[in-house]
Amino acid sequence: MNPAIRHITFDCTGEPYELARFWSELLGHPISDEDKPGDPEVLIELPNGTPGLLFVSVEEGKTTKNRIHFDLQPTGRTRSEEVERAVALGARILTDRTLPNGRGWVVMADPEGNEFCVERGELDRVDDRVEG
């Protein structure tokens, strides 16, 4: 039998609950009812057996680029709208790698500096078909 991925874990030097709140709002999934502000671990439960996102308090800060990150595809929004929404929630843009033809992505960081990318969304593809 092979192991199952149970959680994807984020180390936090700040308040795990606050970082979990950012990701909860960004992804639209709730923080576990068992977790409260001040807890050293906070879980976002994802549906259908998908690994949860676990935010754990650590003392050492992030020092290098993430070796693994999320690539997010907007649903019901364009890439630009999703980037604006993420910024409003507390993320920051690191690099815009959007290509002239609309492909590519925007590299962003969450409030703790963990990188993630926002790719072209479904609505961007609709715009491509209309313009093309």
Side-chain angles (χ1 to χ4, degrees):
M1 302 293 293
N2 295 320
I5 297 174
R6 183 167 176 223
H7 298 130
I8 298 168
T9 302
F10 289 73
D11 291 345
C12 307
T13 56
E15 170 64 45
Y17 194 88
E18 291 305 313
L19 189 57
R21 185 188 325 231
F22 166 83
W23 283 100
S24 173
E25 291 178 21
L26 184 66
L27 299 175
H29 295 289
I31 294 173
S32 172
D33 291 337
E34 296 178 17
D35 295 321
K36 307 289 182 246
D39 286 350
E41 298 178 358
V42 178
L43 178 65
I44 295 177
E45 299 177 295
L46 299 177
N48 304 323
T50 302
L53 303 181
L54 183 63
F55 300 84
V56 179
S57 182
V58 299
E59 291 186 22
E60 65 278 356
K62 180 179 174 296
T63 58
T64 62
K65 182 182 183 307
N66 292 17
R67 298 292 305 245
I68 186 169
H69 66 266
F70 294 127
D71 289 340
L72 304 178
Q73 182 182 30
T75 304
R77 294 182 187 88
T78 65
R79 175 179 33 229
S80 295
E81 291 167 338
E82 193 64 47
V83 166
E84 288 175 22
R85 190 173 79 85
V87 167
L89 291 172
R92 67 185 190 282
I93 298 171
L94 299 179
T95 308
D96 187 341
R97 297 188 177 179
T98 304
L99 301 174
N101 66 3
R103 297 182 73 184
W105 57 89
V106 176
V107 181
M108 303 190 75
D110 72 11
E112 283 263 341
N114 299 300
E115 293 96 0
F116 64 98
C117 295
V118 179
E119 298 180 343
R120 181 168 60 170
E122 295 168 350
L123 294 182
D124 292 307
R125 294 175 202 281
V126 169
D127 291 343
D128 290 346
R129 286 191 295 267
V130 170
E131 292 174 11

